[in-house]
Amino acid sequence: MRIKNFLFQSFAQIFFSVFLVLFFIASVVIFIRIAGVTFVVKISFFELLTLYFYTLPTMLFFVIPLSFFVACVLGLSRLSFDYELPVLFALGMSPKQIIKIFLPIALLASISLFVLSLVLTPLSDIAYRQFLEERKSSIDINLQAGEFGQKLGEWLVYVQKGKDNIYENIVLLSLQKGENSQKDGLIFAKEASIENTDGVMEAHLKNGKIYRKISDGIEYIGFEVMILRSIIDFSGDGNIGLLEYWKRAFYENARQDKVKRNLCMYVLLSLFPLISLFYFPLLGVKNPRYQKNYTILQTMGVVGIFFALMYLSATYIPLLGMLLLPTIWAFGGYFFYKRYIARFY
């Protein structure tokens, strides 16, 4: 019992340190992602926090397994190079007992990750999309004067001056492609007023010019007044339930490949703590007298290999990969554990 508490204490000290660092980095990435939404849509600080909390399950899902693996390996490595594990081995403890001690917590971690990935993450994603759909009919257009790369519906927009949705010297560049597109081209206008009506961007342009590419050259059109309407780009699948969310992986639809890939990645990453049990002593148990401490590099390498295999499996063999990769990964860990750890300790 004392040995178990001793190992758990060493694990916890590293886990929370690694978790907080990764959580902070992930939070910064999430806020950058949310900033992409606020680039055109105005939202309040409270709504910004709402979007952030909707992304928390996904963020925790990717941070927890990585923190868990690193903490288990580095915890054992630190005990090895502090000569505490060699003493325990000398007193009769075996690496097999280490695996038995970490088994319950690895199982708990995998169960928690399954709940996060298969339940909370899709629910938060649905809520995230529903939130945007609700805001779609009431958002204010948020164009900044003098800034490039602003997107409004199907158009890239640049304005020289603007205030209260009234703009001067506005330029719109169509993003549509194809010979049959009726909205391709470049539009200049001296004055414009832009409003959002039930999710439809409506621009009233005055005193402008249109340049369009045609088969035999460039077409020029001058106008005094033109009304341009465009639907603001929002995903329309925010009203489905949890079962329907995952059922899309098993029948043909527009999002089948993406849902199938996500399902494979979520299952594999949820199993990662459990199927990596033999990698903890393999990477963490060292002989401080004869071995140098390359544990961090080895841990990064093993994690990188797993994530690469997970990505390849999810991309090319998602359904088969959910069974094949855990089996290969667990067997590979056991093989190397028996060869390099169990035979010496």
Side-chain angles (χ1 to χ4, degrees):
M1 189 65 181
R2 290 184 177 181
I3 295 177
K4 181 185 296 186
N5 293 336
F6 180 67
L7 292 177
F8 281 168
Q9 184 179 5
S10 178
F11 159 80
Q13 289 174 351
I14 297 178
F15 175 82
F16 289 109
S17 300
V18 175
F19 176 83
L20 290 175
V21 172
L22 294 178
F23 184 82
F24 174 77
I25 296 173
S27 296
V28 173
V29 174
I30 291 299
F31 276 116
I32 293 175
R33 175 191 172 189
I34 296 175
V37 176
T38 62
F39 195 66
V40 173
V41 179
K42 293 180 181 179
I43 62 175
S44 66
F45 179 74
F46 176 76
E47 291 169 333
L48 179 71
L49 290 180
T50 300
L51 290 177
Y52 172 75
F53 284 116
Y54 283 152
T55 60
L56 271 180
T58 303
M59 182 168 58
L60 290 174
F61 173 69
F62 285 97
V63 169
I64 288 177
L66 185 58
S67 302
F68 182 86
F69 186 89
V70 171
C72 289
V73 174
L74 293 187
L76 293 176
S77 176
R78 187 176 68 176
L79 294 178
S80 294
F81 285 94
D82 287 343
Y83 288 91
E84 293 174 339
L85 270 187
V87 171
L88 292 177
F89 290 148
L91 294 175
M93 183 179 176
S94 67
K96 185 177 181 180
Q97 291 177 269
I98 295 177
I99 294 174
K100 289 182 178 180
I101 290 173
F102 279 111
L103 176 59
I105 192 172
L107 181 61
L108 179 62
S110 289
I111 293 174
S112 301
L113 290 172
F114 271 115
V115 174
L116 275 173
S117 61
L118 300 183
V119 180
L120 296 183
T121 294
L123 288 178
S124 64
D125 183 56
I126 293 171
Y128 185 94
R129 297 176 185 276
Q130 287 177 339
F131 177 84
L132 293 181
E133 289 293 331
E134 291 172 1
R135 292 285 291 134
K136 181 175 65 174
S137 60
S138 61
I139 57 175
D140 295 324
I141 303 301
N142 183 23
L143 295 178
Q144 302 298 322
E147 292 190 6
F148 294 93
Q150 301 179 92
K151 186 177 179 182
L152 195 59
E154 301 159 349
W155 301 84
L156 281 177
V157 183
Y158 172 82
V159 295
Q160 189 177 50
K161 296 180 181 180
K163 185 178 181 181
D164 297 330
N165 292 339
I166 304 297
Y167 304 96
E168 296 180 14
N169 298 328
I170 184 171
V171 181
L172 297 97
L173 174 64
S174 174
L175 299 177
Q176 289 192 355
K177 298 180 180 180
E179 296 180 358
N180 297 325
S181 174
Q182 299 298 315
K183 296 182 180 180
D184 58 330
L186 189 63
I187 301 177
F188 298 90
K190 291 184 178 180
E191 185 180 338
S193 62
I194 303 178
E195 297 178 352
N196 170 44
T197 305
D198 296 329
V200 178
M201 185 272 291
E202 190 171 278
H204 295 260
L205 308 175
K206 298 180 180 179
N207 301 323
K209 305 173 184 178
I210 302 175
Y211 295 91
R212 296 178 58 196
K213 183 180 179 181
I214 56 179
S215 58
D216 56 349
I218 302 295
E219 180 183 34
Y220 165 78
I221 303 174
F223 63 88
E224 293 184 0
V225 177
M226 182 175 72
I227 299 177
L228 186 66
R229 293 184 178 92
S230 179
I231 298 176
I232 299 176
D233 186 19
F234 281 89
S235 175
D237 60 349
N239 297 315
I240 63 173
L242 181 61
L243 292 178
E244 180 62 25
Y245 185 95
W246 291 120
K247 282 173 63 178
R248 291 181 298 177
F250 303 100
Y251 66 86
E252 189 172 346
N253 60 87
R255 295 176 61 87
Q256 181 184 19
D257 292 338
K258 183 177 181 180
V259 175
K260 192 185 299 183
R261 183 171 63 250
N262 287 344
L263 178 62
C264 179
M265 291 180 62
Y266 289 170
V267 170
L268 293 178
L269 200 54
S270 297
L271 289 172
F272 182 54
L274 195 59
I275 62 178
S276 299
L277 273 173
F278 292 103
Y279 289 90
F280 302 155
L282 176 64
L283 300 176
V285 174
K286 306 286 185 183
N287 189 323
R289 188 172 182 179
Y290 301 106
Q291 294 176 286
K292 294 184 179 180
N293 192 359
Y294 296 124
T295 308
I296 295 179
L297 293 177
Q298 293 170 344
T299 302
M300 293 174 59
V302 171
V303 171
I305 291 173
F306 180 82
F307 273 73
L309 293 175
M310 180 181 69
Y311 175 79
L312 293 174
S313 299
T315 303
Y316 298 105
I317 49 170
L319 298 181
L320 179 61
M322 288 189 290
L323 299 174
L324 189 61
L325 182 57
T327 303
I328 294 176
W329 187 259
F331 177 78
Y334 178 76
F335 173 79
F336 288 112
Y337 160 80
K338 293 291 289 186
R339 182 170 183 177
Y340 295 105
I341 299 298
R343 61 184 293 193
F344 297 112
Y345 297 95

